[in-house]
């Protein structure tokens, strides 16, 4: 009898979670539409629709009904009887429920209003390089986040509780260690590269490339990567993104620049990597809260893997450069594949994170990480950020922003209170390199598969090891199960050293 | 104190209705997306999302909470204190609530399943011209609808309660009268047209017209009609439609046929007419259940007005034919505007409603009306429909379907139980002609405005008289307030006689 009750309750809990997912799917479609072509006069009313649906999802995630399900299923005797998927579903709901319940509703509401105002203020501040106008907002956001951390509770460093939101299980202790190793090797490598006499010729990239041809080539590469166009589509937008509505509908957007062939090309492959992850989550997980990538870092590992490990490799262009030349003929007919390969792997310290190359990108992230850590352990005040930012840029990258718009104000994240998010980008690079190491061992023909344009076995390997699990495994479980060890930055260091030795002849 | 309570209750009622509208907006966007480009592998899960949201809207429309609002506000003392919009909102909710509440839930559920199966069965039956396989479904649908009519109750003819769902206030008595007049004039007019020696030359239409140019011209005409592209967009689909998400986002779809220039052109203008109505509903009504066209007939009057009264007029082509020639040059360079005008106003009895011309279209509708009326007053059995259909086609149009696929099975409506819908199409033509008569009196420069390409005053007149009111006025209130009299089929008769006298020289 008790088993029957528990079974009925489990069905009912799963239906409840499925309903939340259905609302989230509707919301995700509305966002996609707003960012790809919704007429502007309808946006005001549409935003209220999103607000209503989002409120309902939040209400459901913190309702008494949810509380009762969780109180029941987290009883040890009940929890241990659940199948793996149901147990993980309960644990994920519980984590979110506890986090939300600890913040008084009116405090959270005020925070939502604050960050919404701050995002607007940030846009103006960035545009005008006017730090002073943004500082008061950021001070309030940091102070509120400090309060939230106290309410949520934390182990070890306070910043851990923020990291955990984006990369479950990640800590300052671990990040200090891996970023320390990476920086120790990356900075001297960068110096050797800068000192090399073999700087790539990039002059041929400086021409106009017809957008319809860029589009045609992007579509062709997505097909080659095994992106499933019956389970997705490619559209244009201002700030490219991938969005998973369900595994049968994972959409990519891109942006074509007439004077830059690389932007849409690598942007599309990057978003395509995110999309492959979501398209290949196991059918078992559809309609559960596990039907998504397990963390921002693992997600980014897939976009980076496809963009950089595959898309900027010599083997890849040995296969596809002819097609690129034909597409744009005669524009790059006189440029050989080696020259092209080196040009797209050009390394140069720069001011703007989103334009950074594969090597220096990690240094941009470390700077943000150091500053965020300082904000939450009290060693850096918000008012000190511009000076601290500039000093770090000089120290790590040897460049100094001419103004705060190109410096401390360049990223949107802080205005939305997204502290703890930045490390995911560098973690993505490290995970990608570590996965690649194992992949090369298990698929020794890796380079020749790429050179043959046979990317399917690579996608299948990743599906089996990473994609299909969705959120059923934690990031740490995945990296250990796939590669046999914890996150280890040495693989990224080795990858970068080998790659740039050949590109720069150092 | 009582006033304060009533005011608070009214706010709460309006918020409740607004929430229902917000859910409906999300559902409408999902449908638009499914019909314009959603990847097919996501459709299964997406359909469940629609199911969940639709269930919620239905639940809200029949909930105890809704019941309490209605019990309170329909008290005469409360109702009379309400402002016009709130009163009408209450009345509309009450009408829907009563209708839904009268059908036992399990009976309605069975009906939904039945019509869903019947639509599938109809598709096959139409494809195979196999009436026998569809007949049992239609018998069950008619029987269930008969039961519903008894539960809903009716005044006069049973069919009135079905008509009222699409055209509030319309009755068999009125339809018999107006259709009778129309048929009495239309049939002899058709005979004179068929006997005329001046048949239009349509040979030049039989060529390939490049789709990109068809699209360019359609977009240009939509702009001229004052369709607001900041409050809408044009996409492609298989079965064209217009959908109003909110007045700031009213989308049109069309279908381009390479060998038929008129299909997308007049289809786009038709949907554009529906869209103009919805784009120009008053801001006061946004978020209420009145923010939509007042009936199917009045809606159709606007699509027909723009498609036929404007789009197939001589004045219109005097203005735009040059642009059409230039767009497709040299394909119709040798065809003069008069020849073109006559070709697009060609009249010919045919088998298929959706391909019918302006005159015979009404006869196709009358046939369906006569048959539906017979089904519900018991003079026609479902089994008799094919023979009755063919006899009516012979009588009204002088043609006989070679098979049931091109006859009684041609339309989807009956398989979905949409009895009472067809008359709206012919009502639309009658309303359009009647509005035009008044419009010509109030804007005497009507023809020259069109010939100058100055369509804005026409759109503004319609906005003031029809569009802005949404569902605040009934169809009958609108036709009386705008034209000073009840629906009168003589205006359509006059319009058709004058137009075809000139086209056919009769």
């Amino acid at each position: 009898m008790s088993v029957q009750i528990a079974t009925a309750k489990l069905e009912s809990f799963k239906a409840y979670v499925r309903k939340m997912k259905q609302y989230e799917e509707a919301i995700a479609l509305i966002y996609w539409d707003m960012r790809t072509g919704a007429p502007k006069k309808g946006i005001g009313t549409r935003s209220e629709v999103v607000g209503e649906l989002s409120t309902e999802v939040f209400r459901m995630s913190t309702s008494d009904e949810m509380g009762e399900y969780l109180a029941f299923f987290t009883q040890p005797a009940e929890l241990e009887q659940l199948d793996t998927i149901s147990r993980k579903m309960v644990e994920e709901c519980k984590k979110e429920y506890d986090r939300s319940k600890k913040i008084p509703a009116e405090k959270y509401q005020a925070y939502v209003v604050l960050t919404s105002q701050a995002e607007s203020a940030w846009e103006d501040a960035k545009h005008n390089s006017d730090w002073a106008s943004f500082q008061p907002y950021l001070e309030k956001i940091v102070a509120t986040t400090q309060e939230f951390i106290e309410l949520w509770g934390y182990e070890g460093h306070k910043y851990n509780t923020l990291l955990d939101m984006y990369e479950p299980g990640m800590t300052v202790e671990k990040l200090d260690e891996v970023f320390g190793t990476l920086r120790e090797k990356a900075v001297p490598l960068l110096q050797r590269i800068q000192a090399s006499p073999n700087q790539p010729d990039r002059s041929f990239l400086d021409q106009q490339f017809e957008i319809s041809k860029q589009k045609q080539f992007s579509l062709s590469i997505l097909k080659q990567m095994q992106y499933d166009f019956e389970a997705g589509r490619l559209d244009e937008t201002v700030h490219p993104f991938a969005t998973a509505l369900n595994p049968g509908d994972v959409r990519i957007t891109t942006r074509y620049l007439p004077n830059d062939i690389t932007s849409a090309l690598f942007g599309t492959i990057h978003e395509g990597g995110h999309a492959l992850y979501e398209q290949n989550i196991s059918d078992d997980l559809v309609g559960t809260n596990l039907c998504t990538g397990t963390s921002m870092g693992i997600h980014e590992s897939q976009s980076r893997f496809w963009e950089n490990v595959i898309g900027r490799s010599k083997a890849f262009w040995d296969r596809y450069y002819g097609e690129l030349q034909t597409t744009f003929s005669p524009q790059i007919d006189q440029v050989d594949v080696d020259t092209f390969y080196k040009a797209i792997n050009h390394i140069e310290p720069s001011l703007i994170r989103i334009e950074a190359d594969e090597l220096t990108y990690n240094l941009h992230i470390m700077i943000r990480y150091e500053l965020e850590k300082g904000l939450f352990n009290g060693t850096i005040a918000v008012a000190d950020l511009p000076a601290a930012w500039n000093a770090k840029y000089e120290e790590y990258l040897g460049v100094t922003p001419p103004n705060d718009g190109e410096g401390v104000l360049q990223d949107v994240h802080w205005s939305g209170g997204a502290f703890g998010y930045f490390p995911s980008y560098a973690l993505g690079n490290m995970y990608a390199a570590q996965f690649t190491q194992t992949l090369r061992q298990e698929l020794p023909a890796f380079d020749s598969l790429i050179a043959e344009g046979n990317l399917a076995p690579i996608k299948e390997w990743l599906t089996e090891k990473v994609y299909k699990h969705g959120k059923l495994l934690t990031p740490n479980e995945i990296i250990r199960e796939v590669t046999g060890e914890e996150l280890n930055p040495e693989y990224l260091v080795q990858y970068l050293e080998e790659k740039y030795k050949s590109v720069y002849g150092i």
Side-chain angles (χ1 to χ4, degrees), chain A:
Chain A
M1 184 62 185
S2 157
V3 171
Q4 278 171 3
I5 292 173
T7 305
K9 206 187 261 293
L10 184 61
E11 283 313 303
S12 156
F13 166 69
K14 286 186 160 184
Y16 190 84
V17 171
R18 180 179 284 266
K19 183 171 172 181
M20 289 169 62
K21 282 296 286 187
Q22 288 169 333
Y23 277 56
E24 285 172 357
E25 181 164 334
I27 294 166
L29 180 68
I30 295 173
Y31 275 121
W32 171 82
D33 183 68
M34 290 206 281
R35 294 170 72 179
T36 55
K40 69 177 192 180
K41 290 184 181 172
I43 296 293
T45 302
R46 186 68 35 77
S47 301
E48 292 172 19
V49 174
V50 171
E52 187 64 48
L53 293 171
S54 303
T55 300
E56 183 60 19
V57 174
F58 183 76
R59 192 198 62 69
M60 288 184 75
S61 73
T62 56
S63 69
D64 292 346
E65 189 175 352
M66 176 62 91
E68 282 159 28
Y69 287 128
L70 296 177
F72 181 83
F73 288 114
T74 55
Q75 298 172 99
E78 295 296 335
L79 196 61
E80 73 181 12
Q81 282 181 38
L82 294 179
D83 62 283
T84 319
I85 291 175
S86 303
R87 188 159 54 237
K88 186 76 179 175
M89 285 177 70
V90 168
E91 287 163 357
E92 283 295 315
C93 285
K94 174 82 170 119
K95 193 168 172 180
E96 194 183 336
Y97 179 86
D98 287 345
R99 212 177 240 283
S100 302
K101 281 292 198 183
K102 284 176 181 167
I103 309 294
E106 64 285 358
K107 210 178 263 298
Y108 184 71
Q109 200 48 48
Y111 175 74
V112 170
V113 172
L114 171 63
T115 50
S116 157
Q117 292 167 340
E119 286 193 37
S120 244
W122 166 77
E123 268 189 46
D124 291 343
K126 177 181 174 174
H127 184 75
N128 303 320
S129 282
D130 178 13
W131 166 259
S133 71
F134 180 59
Q135 184 180 316
Y137 290 97
L138 193 55
E139 281 169 343
K140 278 186 214 155
I141 293 174
V142 169
T144 310
T145 306
Q146 295 275 22
E147 280 186 69
F148 286 3
I149 293 173
E150 296 301 330
L151 292 166
W152 286 323
Y154 56 94
E155 288 181 28
H157 200 288
K158 286 182 184 180
Y159 187 65
N160 288 349
T161 198
L162 302 177
L163 283 173
D164 189 70
M165 293 173 70
Y166 303 98
E167 199 63 18
M170 187 49 64
T171 62
V172 165
E173 295 69 22
K174 181 75 184 169
L175 272 186
D176 280 348
E177 178 198 322
V178 297
F179 280 174
T181 304
L182 182 56
R183 203 189 131 214
E184 209 169 275
K185 305 288 176 65
V187 173
L189 175 60
L190 176 59
Q191 288 162 349
R192 280 187 293 150
I193 286 170
Q194 289 185 281
S196 163
N198 309 310
Q199 297 295 320
D201 169 18
R202 305 172 68 225
S203 57
F204 67 91
L205 290 174
D206 187 21
Q207 43 177 323
Q208 301 286 310
F209 294 94
E210 202 179 293
I211 284 179
S212 64
K213 292 178 180 175
Q214 291 195 39
K215 190 167 177 177
Q216 174 196 332
F217 192 76
S218 291
L219 288 169
S220 161
I221 295 298
L222 281 173
K223 278 195 196 102
Q224 294 294 330
M225 302 169 55
Q226 314 290 305
Y227 174 78
D228 182 353
F229 278 95
E230 291 190 350
R233 46 182 287 161
L234 176 65
D235 294 271
E236 291 180 46
T237 190
V238 180
H239 301 290
F241 62 97
T243 182
L245 306 172
N246 64 56
D249 188 353
V250 184
R251 304 182 184 194
I252 305 177
T253 65
T254 195
R255 181 183 176 201
Y256 302 101
L257 301 177
N259 60 349
D260 181 357
I261 197 182
T262 62
S263 169
L265 175 56
F266 292 108
T268 305
I269 301 176
H270 179 99
E271 300 306 338
H274 282 303
L276 283 185
Y277 192 171
E278 298 279 344
Q279 282 186 337
N280 292 290
I281 293 176
S282 169
D283 283 347
D284 302 354
L285 301 179
V286 172
T288 75
N289 53 343
L290 312 177
C291 193
T292 182
T294 191
S295 72
M296 301 306 302
I298 298 290
H299 231 305
E300 198 69 11
S301 78
Q302 295 314 301
S303 53
R304 299 278 161 171
F305 173 83
W306 287 98
E307 177 190 352
N308 293 330
V309 178
I310 302 278
R312 291 188 209 266
S313 70
K314 186 62 170 37
F316 185 81
W317 291 106
D318 282 341
R319 170 64 183 80
Y320 293 108
Y321 188 61
E323 188 178 327
L324 189 75
Q325 284 182 311
T326 308
T327 304
F328 292 99
S329 185
Q331 288 184 268
I332 48 173
D333 287 358
Q334 306 309 317
V335 179
D336 65 21
V337 63
D338 199 55
T339 304
F340 180 79
Y341 169 68
K342 287 178 176 167
I344 59 168
N345 283 295
H346 164 79
I347 297 291
E348 188 172 17
S350 63
L351 293 171
I352 307 298
R353 174 184 62 86
I354 60 168
E355 294 165 6
D357 56 66
E358 237 181 304
L359 170 61
T360 61
Y361 195 98
N362 302 297
L363 299 170
H364 287 265
I365 294 306
M366 286 179 214
I367 292 170
R368 286 152 180 78
Y369 166 65
E370 300 286 341
L371 297 176
E372 290 190 353
K373 206 172 55 168
L375 283 175
F376 291 95
N377 67 17
T379 58
I380 298 177
V382 170
D384 302 334
L385 280 175
W389 179 284
N390 293 353
K392 289 272 180 199
Y393 263 79
E394 184 54 43
E395 182 189 350
Y396 287 25
L397 286 157
V399 294
T400 302
N403 57 57
D404 290 332
E406 293 173 68
V408 68
L409 288 169
Q410 72 183 257
D411 291 311
V412 68
H413 304 58
W414 292 345
S415 72
F419 305 106
Y421 187 123
F422 281 121
S424 314
Y425 295 117
L427 286 168
N429 291 332
M430 290 188 266
Y431 287 137
Q434 189 162 339
F435 286 138
T436 305
Q437 169 71 10
T438 306
L439 179 49
R440 284 182 174 281
Q441 283 162 5
E442 299 188 6
L443 275 186
F446 184 70
D447 288 317
S448 51
L449 286 170
I450 299 171
E452 288 159 14
N454 183 9
L455 302 175
I458 297 170
K459 188 214 74 172
E460 281 153 24
W461 188 90
L462 287 164
T463 296
E464 215 42 49
K465 303 288 183 175
V466 182
Y467 302 164
K468 74 174 188 185
H469 304 297
K471 217 168 176 162
L472 199 53
L473 300 177
T474 65
N476 204 34
E477 283 167 347
I478 288 183
I479 198 81
R480 269 194 284 119
E481 287 188 16
V482 176
T483 71
E485 61 177 312
E486 302 279 319
L487 173 63
N488 182 344
E490 290 294 348
Y491 296 110
L492 180 58
V493 170
Q494 281 169 29
Y495 163 84
L496 292 170
E497 286 189 341
E498 273 173 41
K499 178 164 188 174
Y500 292 106
K501 246 179 230 166
S502 88
V503 172
Y504 280 88
I506 49 178

